[in-house]
Amino acid sequence: MKKKGKSNSFKAMNLFERIFAVSILILLIIVCISVIIGSIFFGFAGFFKLFGVRYESFSSLLALSL
């Protein structure tokens, strides 16, 4: 069954719609990666605080977690 009206295909989009769609996808990927890295970083910080581990700076903690 065919849909009436515009097709939702990427090829059928105009330039503005393509740029908007790609921008939203890139933003979504950046947010997802940031949440994952932030969870790892603050997870290690919380874990170390819970067990009383001391670290010199946040950069040393970041180097340890990656």
Side-chain angles (χ1 to χ4, degrees):
M1 196 155 84
K2 277 190 166 180
K3 282 186 168 184
K4 294 180 183 176
K6 277 178 76 171
S7 173
N8 289 335
S9 164
F10 189 74
K11 289 181 180 180
M13 292 181 182
N14 64 23
L15 182 63
F16 176 75
E17 290 173 335
R18 287 183 185 188
I19 291 172
F20 184 74
V22 170
S23 299
I24 293 296
L25 286 174
I26 289 172
L27 183 66
L28 182 65
I29 290 169
I30 289 172
V31 167
C32 290
I33 290 172
S34 298
V35 167
I36 291 169
I37 290 174
S39 298
I40 292 170
F41 179 75
F42 289 115
F44 270 108
F47 181 75
F48 287 160
K49 183 160 183 107
L50 184 66
F51 286 103
V53 176
R54 299 181 73 189
Y55 47 90
E56 304 222 356
S57 66
F58 282 117
S59 60
S60 64
L61 179 62
L62 184 63
L64 179 69
S65 64
L66 296 177

